[in-house]
Amino acid sequence: MDNPEPIETFFSPAVRELAPYEPPDWEGLARRAGVEVDQLLRLDANENPYPLSPRAVAAVARFDGYSFYPDYKALEQAVARYAGVSPENVVLGNGGDEIIDLAIRLFVPHGGAAIVCPPAFSMYSVSLAALERQAVAVPRCDDWAPDLAAIEAAVAREGARLLFVTSPGNPDGQPVPREAIRRLLALPLVVLVDEAYVEFGGESAAPLLAEHPNLVVLRTFSKWAGMAGLRLGYALASPAVTAALHRLRLPYNVNAAAAVAALATLQEPDHALSTVARIVAERERLAAALGGLPGVRVVPGQANFVLCTLDGRSGRQVAGALAERGVLVRSFGQEAAAGPSLAGAIRVTVGRPEQNDAFLDALCSVLGVQGPAVRLDDPPPRSGRVHRQTRETDVVVTLVLDGTGRYDVQTGIAFLDHMLAQVAAHGLLDLTVRARGDLDVDEHHTAEDVAIALGQALDAALGDRRGLVRMGHAYAPLDEALARVVLDLSGRPYAVVDARFDTPRLGTMDSDLVVHFFETLAMHGRLGLHAHVLAGRNGHHCAEALFKALGRALDAASRLDDRRQGIPSTKGVL
């Protein structure tokens, strides 16, 4: 045709206004820093510094079905088991970004509104703009909490159909309490809770799905499982919502390699969760080190990054100076009109210990200050954190082996709380346990899942078990009762428990669960465990002596001895 119009005139107006995502110029950054590309320290994208589990790598290499479209049934079932829901509650996505896109198209009509709470993940607003929906900004409070009253007012004023909540938050890492989520779910809209970082801390909203059909939970394998490059996210929602999302999503939207790697990861989740425990321990040390620098204030968070503000300095200028040294961190744009300020902030992804050391050295150089009072090259505290969810329970256990005996235990079973307190106090562990379960049925599921999570947290804290004393034993008397526990931290799980109780219940717990707890702990902590009640008439005394002996035997066996080099192997298990 004559005098054709520029092709841009055919573009959607929404697309013409979008700024393209520009990936980093790795070669240019490396050249300016005077290093090779693989020497750049990439702590700017909240990626996992540890590789995929060996099982996942082997599964991807071994899989021979890449010429066929993938089948997701096995993966959906594995995700459901991991998340503690049914398979009909699961929808897989090509990264969490696709779940965001699907949710907007499902719940927000063309030209309609959704609420975002800045500072927030930028893709919420980008996806809304691309789909020609309105983003209504309700800034968070100065303490990073969502402004619940302002959100309620915005829903009434704007008629918004969808609300994005991130927990733990980005870029701050602070979790949103479940009670706040409950209050938001009372509003006449859908609440999408983005739990991209939930494996690193916070409390999942997934247990609320059964009673709140207007809840959608977004999860991803990018952070905890180290699969950012494979792109796999998923939604947890009511069957009615997942059925609608399945109608919207493209066929075969998740590539086969991602599906294979994720399924292998979930078949052996302890490997990925052990790296999560290492990242959490590094996060706490990094936060302490940064907090020791003059003019640096750390925002306490529970994700895989640390946000800090720099008194009197521009975050972008500091990030630019770090980039010149080959260290990449995240900085932010202009200060928002309301809510927490980010103009003087940087966000650093938690890396491996040596990477965190290098970042601290570079930051001290940029700021012109001496190194931090807390050095990351000190021996790290051995710790583990496990979040276990099933249809019946939601359990979070945090354990620090090299502790002082502090404990905060709330399982809903008073007798079990008392017993776990003995383990912590006598084992000199720092132990936090939070559990919710179907106690209206009985206490079996809760006690069992606490034992599983405690064993997995212990396994993560022991790490590669290098240099351990490995074997330990302890006797514990309590009046007429006497118990003995012998442990071998070889990595070979086995349990022999000899404890008989004359009464069917011990306080608020079935007495048979004491034996089951020890056996389950041994299996999931990879312990060789022999536990015996040697004497006693009072069931409470016998059980308490047994748990005290467990703590003391664990303290003895888990100590490090410089004379013991390498990993104490037994038939190649360790």
Side-chain angles (χ1 to χ4, degrees):
M1 62 183 172
D2 296 333
N3 299 319
E5 297 181 59
I7 190 62
E8 289 80 4
T9 61
F10 295 94
F11 292 174
S12 163
V15 173
R16 288 201 296 267
E17 296 175 3
L18 284 177
Y21 174 76
E22 297 289 350
D25 178 8
W26 303 121
E27 292 185 358
L29 289 165
R31 185 168 55 252
R32 288 190 291 275
V35 299
E36 297 297 323
V37 171
D38 61 2
Q39 294 176 310
L40 287 171
L41 191 53
R42 294 167 53 174
L43 303 177
D44 57 333
N46 301 341
E47 296 153 321
N48 192 315
Y50 296 99
L52 280 173
S53 73
R55 183 176 186 139
V57 172
V60 171
R62 187 175 59 247
F63 184 67
D64 61 358
Y66 291 116
S67 59
F68 299 96
Y69 293 119
D71 180 2
Y72 302 133
K73 287 291 189 296
L75 179 57
E76 289 170 344
Q77 292 169 355
V79 168
R81 286 192 298 271
Y82 174 74
V85 299
S86 298
E88 57 265 28
N89 297 120
V90 176
V91 175
L92 304 177
N94 183 14
D97 293 343
E98 184 182 20
I99 300 298
I100 293 169
D101 178 272
L102 291 173
I104 292 170
R105 290 197 284 135
L106 176 59
F107 297 115
V108 186
H110 191 272
I115 294 175
V116 297
C117 302
F121 183 40
S122 61
M123 286 307 299
Y124 305 150
S125 295
V126 169
S127 294
L128 285 164
L131 294 170
E132 298 185 321
R133 274 73 164 175
Q134 302 299 313
V136 176
V138 180
R140 290 195 268 166
C141 302
D142 288 340
D143 64 355
W144 300 93
D147 190 334
L148 302 183
I151 291 171
E152 290 165 342
V155 172
R157 183 179 64 250
E158 305 289 345
R161 304 292 296 274
L162 178 64
L163 165 66
F164 290 99
V165 176
T166 314
S167 181
N170 184 7
D172 54 294
Q174 296 204 18
V176 179
R178 190 178 286 173
E179 287 311 307
I181 302 296
R182 285 184 186 274
R183 177 172 165 181
L184 295 171
L185 287 167
L187 296 170
L189 83 173
V190 173
V191 180
L192 187 150
V193 181
D194 185 342
E195 295 184 349
Y197 304 99
V198 75
E199 278 82 6
F200 301 95
E203 188 177 40
S204 176
L208 303 178
L209 284 168
E211 55 186 295
H212 294 285
N214 60 326
L215 170 64
V216 176
V217 176
L218 185 159
R219 299 268 191 88
T220 178
F221 282 78
S222 294
K223 315 301 181 182
W224 76 279
M227 286 178 51
L230 285 170
R231 312 303 299 132
L232 178 60
Y234 59 94
L236 306 175
S238 70
V241 170
T242 57
L245 291 172
H246 279 304
R247 293 199 296 271
L248 275 174
R249 70 172 178 84
L250 295 175
Y252 310 114
N253 55 328
V254 173
N255 70 81
V260 168
L263 184 58
T265 297
L266 292 176
Q267 289 168 342
E268 190 183 43
D270 288 358
H271 181 279
L273 291 172
S274 69
T275 67
V276 168
R278 280 188 272 177
I279 291 169
V280 169
E282 283 294 306
R283 178 189 71 202
E284 298 307 307
R285 287 198 302 281
L286 180 59
L290 287 167
L293 297 178
V296 177
R297 289 178 293 170
V298 173
V299 177
Q302 295 187 31
N304 69 335
F305 52 80
V306 176
L307 180 72
C308 58
T309 59
L310 313 166
D311 290 346
R313 294 179 182 269
S314 161
R316 286 202 161 176
Q317 289 178 357
V318 170
L322 288 170
E324 293 175 359
R325 292 162 170 80
V327 179
L328 309 182
V329 300
R330 181 77 159 86
S331 61
F332 304 90
Q334 296 298 314
E335 187 172 355
S341 171
L342 290 171
I346 59 172
R347 188 195 68 197
V348 54
T349 305
V350 178
R352 298 188 301 273
E354 67 276 11
Q355 295 174 319
N356 297 328
D357 276 331
F359 159 70
L360 280 171
D361 288 340
L363 181 64
C364 289
S365 174
V366 169
L367 299 180
V369 299
Q370 292 184 343
V374 179
R375 288 300 302 173
L376 296 182
D377 50 14
D378 292 337
R382 295 174 295 166
S383 66
R385 182 185 185 280
V386 170
H387 185 190
R388 174 178 173 80
Q389 285 184 302
T390 69
R391 291 188 182 90
E392 297 85 11
T393 65
D394 186 356
V395 180
V396 180
V397 173
T398 303
L399 178 150
V400 179
L401 269 180
D402 306 308
T404 59
R406 294 176 296 179
Y407 56 85
D408 182 2
V409 181
Q410 298 178 33
T411 67
I413 307 171
F415 185 80
L416 182 58
D417 293 352
H418 180 43
M419 294 301 101
L420 293 178
Q422 304 311 308
V423 176
H426 286 265
L428 296 178
L429 314 171
D430 290 343
L431 179 65
T432 301
V433 180
R434 291 286 185 276
R436 297 186 183 188
D438 56 350
L439 297 179
D440 56 319
V441 178
D442 62 29
E443 64 274 18
H444 179 91
H445 290 137
T446 300
E448 180 179 62
D449 285 351
V450 167
I452 292 172
L454 179 60
Q456 291 173 343
L458 176 60
D459 185 34
L462 290 169
D464 63 8
R465 310 195 183 205
R466 188 181 303 275
L468 289 178
V469 171
R470 175 180 154 181
M471 297 181 187
H473 72 277
Y475 289 83
L478 182 57
D479 296 343
E480 88 295 348
L482 176 65
R484 177 187 65 212
V485 171
V486 183
L487 288 179
D488 181 1
L489 306 185
S490 65
R492 296 176 63 184
Y494 199 87
V496 176
V497 185
D498 183 6
R500 297 177 180 86
F501 302 96
D502 294 334
T503 58
R505 297 191 70 79
L506 297 169
T508 56
M509 191 170 82
D510 187 328
S511 57
D512 288 344
L513 286 176
V514 172
V515 174
H516 184 55
F517 188 93
F518 274 70
E519 291 172 341
T520 304
L521 177 70
M523 293 303 105
H524 291 270
R526 298 194 298 131
L527 317 173
L529 182 149
H530 287 251
H532 301 267
V533 174
L534 303 176
R537 296 182 303 276
N538 183 290
H540 184 129
H541 289 176
C542 293
E544 186 170 338
L546 205 59
F547 278 87
K548 287 178 176 177
L550 172 64
R552 288 183 176 263
L554 185 57
D555 178 42
S558 63
R559 291 177 185 175
L560 298 171
D561 187 334
D562 292 338
R563 297 171 299 173
R564 300 184 186 277
Q565 299 299 314
I567 300 173
S569 179
T570 170
K571 295 185 180 179
V573 173
L574 282 174

